[in-house]
Amino acid sequence: MQTTAVNPYLDGNFAPVHEEISTDTLKVIGELPPDLSGMFVRNGPNPQQTPIGQYHWFDGDGMLHGVQISNGKATYRNRYVRTKAWQIEQQAGKAVWSGILEPPQKDNSYNFGKNPANTALVWHDGQLLATWEGGAPHAIKVPQLDTVGEYRYNGKLVYAFTAHPKVDPVTGEMMFFGYSFAPPYLKYSIVSAEGELLRTVPIELPMAVMMHDFAITENYTIFMDLPLTFSGERMRRGEPLMMFESDRPSRFGIVPRWGDNSNIRWFESPACYIFHTLNAYEEGDEVVLIACRMNSTTVLMTEDTQPDPDGNIPRLHQWRFNLKTGAVREEMLDDVPGEFPRVNEQLLGQKTRYGYIAKSAKSSMPLFDGLIKYDLSSGKSQTHELGKGRYGGEAVFAPHPSATEEDEGWLITYVHDTTEDTSELVIVNAQDMTGEPVARVLIPQRVPYGFHGTWVSREQLDACL
Ligand SMILES: [Fe+2]
């Protein structure tokens, strides 16, 4: 039956934009800090063509929105990630691939699935990669934001690549994983600081699961085997391929960075789902993980009915895994809902004093009306409210180039004003969370809500020229 209701993910500021623009110097309210020099780039879904069937927010073609800042001035540009599927659909003038809520396509003449490259960005080995968890990353030229193409590490990457690889700021190594519907359900890889894919090892899991993120410490890698499972057998019985199984535990696998399935240690805690980790670190005999935990999730279900009134609501939690005793201690750090956790990534894998999340608005949609800074040592937090009818997303921490303190830097996010239907880049001094933003860069085109971004420093940009 045809439905006339507008899909909320194609409406308002979730709706795509189709113009790719490059601007001259933009108007700024406030003042861009002279020490803030580089480029903020954010990825997100932006369907090029009218979707086939039901559209899910995770389906849209990746579009990058970048603001380059130098000498107190800013310019903006947005570009699609020109993936192979994007090019085919552009030539066809219509969508060729359906999305994750539709049954598998039997009539698609292309023998590969669509990699929309729409989720996140990572800087490693002197280049920017646009990521999506089901396929290879795409190399992106900066500051142009042009797509170079799929990046497969000299042919060594022949499986999926998480949207959230982790770069160790000390060694420069990049850890990533890929999950699969068929065994081995999980593969774990390490790329050297120089960009060589050094090794890949399989990690055994009892079932195929959707694994969106993971974490690293100085010596360990932590995988999250959470009960959002895929089952072909279940699908053959006419039940959903993907299901949150609340009677299965959450399993956290801690493996030495250079270890493998033979020395991974598994810890169990009650069923939950975690999209994103804030950070992890080692302390005495314990490995500590901080992440946004939901009791359960229906985010990827065809029938989006959530029986659990506390399901789908992410809150910051901490787990302590004792490597000596095997004990697990799970604790909620704040009951205020929020997602998109980030730290100062110069300290990723080490104990940080501060963590930042986007505060969830009271809405059935994933809207975020503030930024919260946590002092993890005292448990205190401060909130930067974005203002009435103004919604943002993930805030990336851009460190001050000569910072002497962990929180010396800026939180950067795009904000949409629903009253004016305008978009801005909002820059908040991370040491003055309750103050006004130091700068609001007015973007002359709407920037749809999206997923993850990154800060590319001036030094990194200059090295590409
Ligand atoms: Fe993500």
Side-chain angles (χ1 to χ4, degrees):
M1 197 177 80
Q2 280 289 50
T3 169
T4 50
V6 177
N7 183 322
Y9 289 104
L10 295 171
D11 196 26
N13 195 44
F14 286 93
V17 293
H18 295 293
E19 291 274 308
E20 293 178 312
I21 66 168
S22 307
T23 74
D24 295 328
T25 300
L26 297 171
K27 194 174 167 200
V28 177
I29 298 172
E31 202 176 328
L32 284 164
D35 292 318
L36 182 65
S37 186
M39 191 171 189
F40 173 75
V41 190
R42 199 216 64 200
N43 202 346
N46 194 93
Q48 175 194 189
Q49 306 289 348
T50 303
I52 299 171
Q54 299 176 82
Y55 174 74
H56 189 284
W57 197 28
F58 295 174
D59 291 334
D61 301 278
M63 182 179 270
L64 306 175
H65 301 264
V67 171
Q68 196 182 168
I69 300 169
S70 65
N71 300 317
K73 292 188 164 57
T75 56
Y76 164 84
R77 66 171 57 206
N78 65 311
R79 294 290 183 275
Y80 279 108
V81 185
R82 282 169 159 70
T83 63
K84 202 154 87 175
W86 184 93
Q87 292 172 40
I88 290 167
E89 292 190 329
Q90 194 204 30
Q91 277 158 20
K94 60 176 187 177
V96 172
W97 283 269
S98 57
I100 56 177
L101 297 180
E102 291 292 315
Q105 279 176 298
K106 296 207 171 74
D107 57 350
N108 191 317
S109 57
Y110 297 95
N111 63 354
F112 61 92
K114 177 175 182 169
N115 171 355
N118 65 7
T119 311
L121 292 154
V122 65
W123 183 270
H124 188 245
D125 181 33
Q127 67 178 346
L128 186 65
L129 299 173
T131 58
W132 177 70
E133 69 194 46
H138 283 71
I140 304 295
K141 254 192 218 164
V142 286
Q144 299 88 341
L145 302 185
D146 295 337
T147 304
V148 180
E150 279 193 345
Y151 194 72
R152 292 193 174 272
Y153 295 91
N154 292 320
K156 288 183 183 170
L157 177 65
V158 290
Y159 50 95
F161 183 104
T162 174
H164 294 295
K166 301 284 180 259
V167 178
D168 184 319
V170 178
T171 66
E173 293 160 333
M174 181 170 74
M175 276 52 74
F176 74 88
F177 67 89
Y179 71 85
S180 164
F181 296 166
Y185 297 122
L186 178 62
K187 284 183 177 172
Y188 165 43
S189 302
I190 303 179
V191 180
S192 72
E194 295 74 33
E196 190 184 348
L197 205 171
L198 296 174
R199 79 195 291 252
T200 298
V201 294
I203 302 285
E204 282 175 26
L205 301 180
M207 273 187 88
V209 291
M210 191 204 166
M211 195 180 291
H212 184 67
D213 199 357
F214 73 138
I216 59 163
T217 68
E218 193 185 339
N219 296 294
Y220 296 97
T221 297
I222 305 157
F223 294 107
M224 303 190 291
D225 175 17
L226 308 175
L228 183 57
T229 63
F230 296 103
S231 166
E233 199 180 303
R234 201 164 51 210
M235 196 170 70
R236 283 188 286 279
R237 291 198 303 263
E239 294 168 32
L241 169 68
M242 177 184 259
M243 194 182 245
F244 184 80
E245 298 190 61
S246 54
D247 53 348
R248 292 176 78 93
S250 296
R251 299 170 74 240
F252 297 85
I254 302 182
V255 62
R257 179 172 297 179
W258 292 91
D260 56 33
N261 193 61
S262 68
N263 53 0
I264 192 164
R265 298 222 8 222
W266 289 99
F267 295 79
E268 289 190 3
S269 70
C272 72
Y273 198 70
I274 295 165
F275 272 105
H276 300 115
T277 62
L278 178 97
N279 197 14
Y281 59 92
E282 296 157 36
E283 194 164 61
D285 294 331
E286 294 179 323
V287 167
V288 182
L289 171 70
I290 304 176
C292 292
R293 177 196 189 275
M294 297 182 281
N295 267 358
S296 61
T297 183
T298 58
V299 167
L300 291 139
M301 309 298 165
T302 319
E303 304 295 327
D304 191 9
T305 48
Q306 172 55 276
D308 177 357
D310 219 25
N312 289 355
I313 299 175
R315 294 185 172 96
L316 200 65
H317 280 65
Q318 176 176 276
W319 291 257
R320 286 183 169 272
F321 306 106
N322 192 307
L323 296 172
K324 215 168 212 174
T325 65
V328 185
R329 202 144 48 91
E330 178 183 294
E331 177 193 4
M332 186 164 72
L333 297 182
D334 190 7
D335 63 0
V336 175
E339 240 288 347
F340 291 121
R342 298 292 292 247
V343 289
N344 177 343
E345 291 195 348
Q346 294 175 322
L347 294 168
L348 195 75
Q350 300 160 47
K351 184 173 183 172
T352 64
R353 178 168 173 188
Y354 302 106
Y356 310 92
I357 67 168
K359 178 165 76 76
S360 300
K362 286 188 176 61
S363 169
S364 58
M365 296 297 286
L367 295 175
F368 300 91
D369 59 5
L371 308 175
I372 306 178
K373 174 188 183 184
Y374 289 98
D375 181 338
L376 299 164
S377 64
S378 69
K380 289 186 179 150
S381 65
Q382 287 183 305
T383 302
H384 179 89
E385 301 285 355
L386 294 171
K388 195 168 183 290
R390 290 163 60 85
Y391 302 103
E394 179 186 74
V396 169
F397 181 85
H400 188 288
S402 53
T404 54
E405 290 173 319
E406 182 194 318
D407 60 344
E408 203 176 339
W410 300 272
L411 292 174
I412 306 180
T413 188
Y414 287 114
V415 170
H416 182 248
D417 187 313
T418 55
T419 313
E420 304 288 332
D421 197 21
T422 53
S423 296
E424 305 170 0
L425 185 78
V426 168
I427 299 167
V428 174
N429 178 348
Q431 292 182 322
D432 182 20
M433 289 296 289
T434 53
E436 289 290 311
V438 293
R440 293 163 51 197
V441 181
L442 308 186
I443 312 290
Q445 178 170 269
R446 196 168 57 75
V447 178
Y449 299 126
F451 299 138
H452 304 279
T454 197
W455 173 251
V456 184
S457 69
R458 176 60 46 193
E459 205 182 355
Q460 289 167 331
L461 280 178
D462 287 348
C464 295
L465 296 174

